Amino acid sequence: MDFNTKRHIWHDIHYAIEATARGLYHPKEPDYIASLVTKLPNDLIQILNSYIPNRLFKVGGCFIHQKPIVRFTSPQYAHLRRPELGDLLIVYKETKNNENRYNALLLQAKKSNDVYYTPIHHNDQHQYILYTKWPKFEYHRAGRLNGISRSISPKSITPGAQYLLIDEHHNANHWHYPVTFWCVKADNPLEASNSLATAILQLIEFQTGRTFVAKGLNIDQWSRMIWDLLDISVQSVFNRRRNGFNNCPRSSGDIISFLTTPNNEDNLGGVEGQGISLICIEGTCREEINDNIPM
């Protein structure tokens, strides 16, 4: 993808993202996330397919309010409050040469009056510890996952888990564009670096986020956690669709194939509304599609 193409894609994605924040009345973090995941996917489909013709893109999103939380089981951190795993999970699946590659970006939303200097206060240390130390934890408010333990490695910051700083003042940056959503590495203080539009572009080019692998017996703990979140979120979405939720503005865009596997279909029971809000992007090489068309 050449520089001019990237610039045009960034411009269109950026303005589509900014449009999701317009018209919100005294919004809190969940309001921003709900608007983002329900309004952006349809625009993102058009933008990506327009500028990247050698791939066919599908994009879907859903908003789930009741996010999973975890309990630290490492003795050093067991006294801390139970953090959320995140507010939003953006995943990308690329199909090329009959192989699938996966990438993920887990985001914790935080409103800020100064996106270039946002200290992590004492009452938010539990979330900061999760994203910087990754102590061993078990799921606490995550439906059928409750009680299951995960231990993510390495025990350090990762581009796969970042903060999503929300600039309530919509200040212009040094390029004179107002930017509402910023992706920021876990640090103290938090300091705006990449716009969300930049992060989405980098995610589909595997320049940010953290890759994960297909389901299997011996997959790493990060991959297990991402599939945990996808599975319980899809479970919630499908349950809601059965109750007419497909006509409700909490979801939008295309159904993503790797979220509707037989394994997921087998797990459609349980409590509705538990999971994480999702934006799912799927890019398939058009040659791959043409090769599978029957003659």
Side-chain angles (χ1 to χ4, degrees), residues 38 42 61-62 236-253 255 272:
T38 57
N42 287 323
C62 68
S236 174
V237 171
F238 271 80
N239 278 336
R240 287 165 180 256
R241 281 200 178 111
R242 289 179 174 182
N243 294 324
F245 186 76
N246 55 310
N247 295 318
C248 181
R250 284 177 178 261
S251 60
S252 66
I255 295 174
E272 293 184 18

Side-chain angles (χ1 to χ4, degrees), residues 100-112:
N100 297 323
R101 290 199 299 162
Y102 305 93
N103 204 6
L105 179 58
L106 182 63
L107 296 168
Q108 176 68 27
K110 185 176 180 62
K111 293 197 298 182
S112 173

Side-chain angles (χ1 to χ4, degrees), residues 3-19 47 51 177-178 195 197-198 201:
F3 175 79
N4 282 331
T5 301
K6 286 185 182 181
R7 181 167 58 87
H8 288 300
I9 296 176
W10 181 91
H11 180 277
D12 287 4
I13 293 176
H14 170 70
Y15 278 100
I17 288 171
E18 289 301 304
I47 295 166
Y51 286 108
Y177 288 105
S195 68
T198 300
L201 263 178

Side-chain angles (χ1 to χ4, degrees), residues 136-164:
K136 186 177 181 181
F137 64 80
E138 68 177 32
Y139 294 108
H140 176 66
R141 192 182 66 197
R144 62 183 176 80
L145 296 175
N146 286 347
I148 293 176
S149 295
R150 296 284 180 251
S151 182
I152 308 299
S153 293
K155 305 294 185 184
S156 60
I157 61 172
T158 167
Q162 302 183 33
Y163 282 84
L164 182 67

